Every structure is written in C-alpha cells, then in structure tokens.
Amino acid sequence: MDDHFPHLISGLFDHPVAAEAILEEIPTALILLDARRRIRYMNRAASALTGYGPQEAKNIACHNIVRTRAYLKDSPVSKIAPDSGPVCVQSDLINREKLRIDVRITMIGLFDPAGRCLGYVDAIEDLRGTAQPQAQMHPAFGFAGMIGKSPDMEHIFRTLPLIAGNDSPVLITGETGTGKNLAAMAIHENSGRSRGPFVKINCGALPETLLESELFGHCKGAFPGATENRQGRFRLAHNGTLYLAEIGDMPLTLQARLLNLLDNNTVYPMGGSRGFQVDVRVIAGDHRNLEQMAEQGIFRKDLLFRLNMVRLHLPPLRQRGDDIGLLTDHFLQQFSTAFGKDIREPSPEALDLLKTYTYPGNVRELRNIIKYAVNICRQHQIEPRDLPAYLSSNIEPAAGRMEHDTRTRQEPPGTVSASFQPTAEGAATWAETEKQMIIEALVRTGGRRNKAAALLGWGRSTLWRKIKQYQIQ
C-alpha cells in the first residue's frame, strides 16, 4: 500500500483498518477535499475516470482535475451547509484523454460540531454504461457514437453487441481515423464491465521505460525519480477495460510482459516482487498489418494469436458510400452549434467534392474538413471555396498514396484561418500543405505553440511532434 494516505479506521473492527484499503476497492470515484476544495486524496476509480494519478492531483484545486461545468458555473458547493445534506448534480466532465463523460456528482460537506467546514467528499458516478445504446434509438444510423448506414457499418453495428457480450481480448484493425477508439468504447459501454473504468493508453506516445511504468506501475526507488509508489493502467482498469492503442508500437520486451499478464492476470510493478491480481478486459488497436509485422519479427506471434481471439475490422471511409453525406450532415450540425453559426448544408458542388475525395485520414479527416469549413464559412451554405484547396486540386495527401496497411499517421487538416490556402498548385503533397499550415499558425500566434496547437485544432503533443518531423525552426 502506498504511504501517502496512511490513515486508519479504529473502533469499527477488531483491529484498526487502513482507510485506503477500503477506499481503493470502492468502484465509484471518490475524492476527498479540504475546506478550500483542494484534493487531498482520490481513489483508484477516480484516477481511472479523470486520467490523473493521486500524487499528480494532490493539493490541486478540484476543478483543475475534474473538469466539469458543475464546478465552474453556479457551483452547488455554495448550497452545502451543516444541515443541508448531500447535493447531487448531473453533468459531464472532460478527462485527461479529452473524452467527454456523462457523470452524476454527489457532494457531501464535512463539518465540525461548531458548524465549521472541514472539507468535502465528492462521489462521481460514470453514467456511460447507463445510457440507452444508440443503436436502439437510431438503429439505421449508428451505435454508441458511431454513425453510418452502409452495409459494412450495419454489419459492424450488429456485431458489436455480440463482441461486448463476451470477455475475450479484442483486436480492432483499420486505417487511421476509421474510429477504432469509438469502437473500443462501444464494446466497453455495452458490456458487463460498463460500470467499471475504461482506461486508454497510446503505446506509441511514450518511450519504453515510461510506457512500462504507465502500464504496470512502479515501486518507490525502482528508477531515478521514482519517489513514490505508482499504480499502472492495468490496476486502474481493474473490473473494467484497458484499450491499448497502437499496440504495434509496444517494444518486444513489454509485449512479453503483456502476454504473461494476459495468461495469469497478475501485474508486477517495476522494482517490486509482489504481484497484484487484476480483472481487466484488454482491447488492442492498430492501423498496420500486424501479421506482416509478426513475420518480420517486430511483433510477437504468440501475442498476436492471444489478442486475435476476437477481431473487428473497420472499413475505410472511401468504401462506405452514402455514409460520407450522413457524416457530413452530422459534423455540420455539431460544429455549427458549437461555433454559433447557422450553416444548414453544403452546396451540391461542395457535396460532390466531399463525396469524390478518397480520405486517407478517413472519418477523422472528414470531421476536420467540416470543422475547417464551418470556421471560415460566411453564409448559410458551405461552398467549394470554404473547403481545403487540396480537395479541388485532385491531389491526394502524401499518406493517401501509400499502401493502406502501412499508412503514415499524418493528422487531418486543422482550422488555421480563413485566409490560408496551399501553394499555387495546391501543394505538391499533403506533407507540404501541413507544414505550411503549422508555419502560418506559429506566425499568427507569435511563436506560442500552445495557441498555435489550439488554432490548428490539435493537441500540444501533436504539434510538437510535427514541428520536429518537419524540422521547423
């Protein structure tokens, strides 16, 4: 047990019991706060829900960790008094992975006999598993956030509940941007684990040592800088689902550890000899050909066999026919509302451009194209001039000309500005177009990378990676 919450409960049992031993096993997210609503302790379920570890969150204002409107506007905390009882609100939060999660928050005030506030206990219930499945509400158009009516997608919508109904590992394949994250969440939310945590980690986003610590945890002193015990993602996902995105980027040494964990359900933290039993369903995803990687010796065949017990392949957008129009309408409504605009539809000419493009970035690329168009559109209808210039130049982004099972991870276009246009010939490649977008964003923000990332509609780490990739000084 970690030493950061050593308090004991005395008088209830024959011997004192560590409070943490009880709080850690409660499946509801619990956060203990002082009178100024700074976090003093959060249990494993709260860490899994928010994405922040207990030591990262300690002494931080609660609204900076639990990012919910319930804490920022007309906060119900002001209604808590010694005789008021708990206050319950339904809202949503944005976690560290930038996922929006519907939650129910119960806030309890702690007062001394004189009525002075000592602190608070916030219990946060994840409501994702209690919502009516989208397939039941709109059976012809989607399932759990995924949208489509093409035969391929209808087959997937019929298959997902069957996959969710068992507990086997799942391997989700498909080109970048096809919706592997959404499919993993759909499986979790429609499974018997829906009340447990859904934890995601991108295996390609971290160096090997840090990835090992993030997955399996570490003990104090395991390596320089390990000043405390840390639970890994497997323990955070106990009784829930762990999604391993870009599983092909996992180093071979960690693949061996993962295979061992799948066989015996025991996690051994770095630097520790004591194992912890976990009950976790593993879902893995990748856009590459893992069979080919296994033949090349860069992915373990035995791990592939273990993960490949249930396989779900998502089709590229160019093979989904009328889904392009359906998704265009969905994203147009979404971003028109978000940006406070009254844009009703694309013009026939704009829609023709959208339907004839091949989308190497798939649904993610279409989403960002529509976001870009809504940003710069000045009328009630999107015209071809509002779309990125490369759509009308008939020049695919560079990634689109590569083999589909070895596609690069180029991000789709962002939302730089209304005045941005590629070079005269529409830019020779998407890479050149993207590089120009980054340079313009940096110029417009005076070199401030955080603001440039926001302008492009990317995360900060994505911008840093692309600046390095394109060697932008």
Side-chain angles (χ1 to χ4, degrees):
M1 185 181 69
D2 295 350
D3 59 3
H4 61 272
F5 193 73
H7 304 288
L8 300 176
I9 298 176
S10 302
L12 293 179
F13 309 102
D14 292 340
H15 301 283
V17 175
E20 186 178 32
I22 298 174
L23 296 174
E24 285 296 293
E25 300 306 321
I26 295 175
T28 300
L30 294 177
I31 301 178
L32 308 186
L33 307 122
D34 63 18
R36 296 170 59 187
R37 291 195 60 80
R38 294 176 302 185
I39 294 175
R40 303 299 298 165
Y41 169 81
M42 59 197 303
N43 68 352
R44 180 165 57 205
S47 292
L49 186 65
T50 64
Y52 292 94
Q55 288 302 309
E56 292 178 293
K58 192 171 183 179
N59 295 322
I60 302 297
C62 187
H63 65 264
N64 290 326
I65 300 296
V66 185
R67 293 175 289 179
T68 172
R69 288 172 290 187
Y71 288 164
L72 297 177
K73 185 177 180 181
D74 300 325
S75 174
V77 173
S78 60
K79 302 175 184 177
I80 298 177
D83 57 352
S84 67
V87 173
C88 184
V89 295
Q90 192 158 318
S91 184
D92 54 28
L93 64 81
I94 305 296
N95 72 1
R96 194 173 195 166
E97 301 290 340
K98 299 182 181 178
L99 294 176
R100 189 188 69 82
I101 302 171
D102 292 326
V103 294
R104 182 183 295 114
I105 305 173
T106 301
M107 289 169 263
I108 304 168
L110 305 176
F111 298 89
D112 67 10
R116 291 183 298 240
C117 180
L118 302 177
Y120 302 89
V121 177
D122 285 9
I124 308 174
E125 182 181 359
D126 185 345
L127 299 181
R128 284 178 295 186
T130 63
Q132 183 185 18
Q134 189 166 342
Q136 296 179 18
M137 295 185 287
H138 304 291
F141 296 103
F143 181 90
M146 303 178 70
I147 295 173
K149 59 180 180 180
S150 63
D152 283 348
M153 293 306 295
E154 287 184 348
H155 174 72
I156 286 172
F157 297 154
R158 290 192 298 269
T159 304
L160 279 170
L162 303 178
I163 296 175
N166 69 71
D167 223 22
S168 301
V170 181
L171 178 60
I172 304 175
T173 58
E175 297 175 12
T176 182
T178 49
K180 296 184 288 294
N181 289 2
L182 282 176
M185 289 188 64
I187 292 169
H188 170 76
E189 291 174 7
N190 289 272
S191 73
R193 297 177 177 271
S194 60
R195 300 300 293 271
F198 176 82
V199 179
K200 173 191 169 185
I201 186 168
N202 188 322
C203 299
L206 299 170
E208 181 174 350
T209 303
L210 186 53
L211 178 60
E212 184 176 9
S213 173
E214 283 292 318
L215 283 173
F216 303 102
H218 64 250
C219 295
K220 183 177 180 180
F223 51 84
T227 58
E228 62 192 20
N229 294 337
R230 180 185 177 91
Q231 293 184 356
R233 301 291 179 99
F234 273 101
R235 291 183 66 190
L236 291 178
H238 183 58
N239 291 324
T241 303
L242 177 64
Y243 175 50
L244 302 172
E246 307 300 343
I247 184 71
D249 284 327
M250 182 178 287
L252 286 169
T253 53
L254 296 190
Q255 291 179 30
R257 290 199 64 182
L258 173 59
L259 181 63
N260 183 61
L261 187 150
L262 291 173
D263 287 337
N264 58 35
N265 298 317
T266 304
V267 175
Y268 290 92
M270 295 175 64
S273 57
R274 175 191 172 195
F276 297 87
Q277 286 289 313
V278 291
D279 180 11
V280 176
R281 184 182 196 178
V282 172
I283 301 177
D286 208 292
H287 67 287
R288 290 160 294 186
N289 189 326
L290 295 180
E291 284 83 0
Q292 188 178 67
M293 294 175 65
E295 290 298 327
Q296 295 170 351
I298 54 179
F299 196 82
R300 292 182 64 109
K301 288 185 179 180
D302 47 4
L303 178 59
L304 178 59
F305 296 150
R306 190 75 168 81
L307 295 173
N308 209 20
M309 295 176 66
V310 178
R311 187 162 188 158
L312 180 70
H313 181 73
L314 302 180
L317 184 56
R318 62 183 174 277
Q319 296 178 5
R320 291 174 53 180
D322 291 340
D323 283 358
I324 293 174
L326 185 66
L327 288 162
T328 296
D329 291 341
H330 170 74
F331 293 135
L332 186 57
Q333 181 181 17
Q334 176 184 342
F335 292 119
S336 294
T337 301
F339 300 152
K341 293 188 173 184
D342 182 21
I343 302 176
R344 296 156 195 169
E345 60 185 357
S347 70
E349 296 79 11
L351 187 58
D352 284 343
L353 278 177
L354 291 168
K355 286 186 174 181
T356 55
Y357 181 58
T358 55
Y359 296 100
N362 292 289
V363 179
R364 184 187 297 125
E365 183 174 9
L366 174 60
R367 179 183 184 274
N368 282 293
I369 286 172
I370 300 303
K371 184 178 181 181
Y372 175 92
V374 171
N375 255 316
I376 70 174
C377 183
R378 296 294 180 266
Q379 57 280 334
H380 297 301
Q381 192 177 59
I382 289 178
E383 299 292 344
R385 64 176 177 270
D386 300 320
L387 299 172
Y390 68 81
L391 294 184
S392 56
S393 67
N394 294 319
I395 297 178
E396 268 191 7
R401 297 194 296 273
M402 300 181 67
E403 292 296 328
H404 299 318
D405 59 3
T406 56
R407 289 186 180 274
T408 60
R409 293 181 213 172
Q410 301 291 340
E411 297 288 341
T415 53
V416 177
S417 71
S419 64
F420 172 75
Q421 295 292 338
T423 53
E425 283 75 25
T429 66
W430 166 242
E432 292 177 13
T433 300
E434 191 170 52
K435 182 176 180 180
Q436 292 174 25
M437 291 169 63
I438 294 170
I439 292 172
E440 180 180 330
L442 289 169
V443 170
R444 288 179 175 273
T445 58
R448 289 169 289 190
R449 296 185 179 186
N450 286 348
K451 291 190 175 182
L455 191 62
L456 289 161
W458 295 343
R460 179 181 173 185
S461 60
T462 298
L463 177 61
W464 278 71
R465 173 167 54 84
K466 289 184 179 294
I467 287 174
K468 183 177 180 181
Q469 174 186 339
Y470 295 132
Q471 298 180 339
I472 298 172
Q473 300 298 323

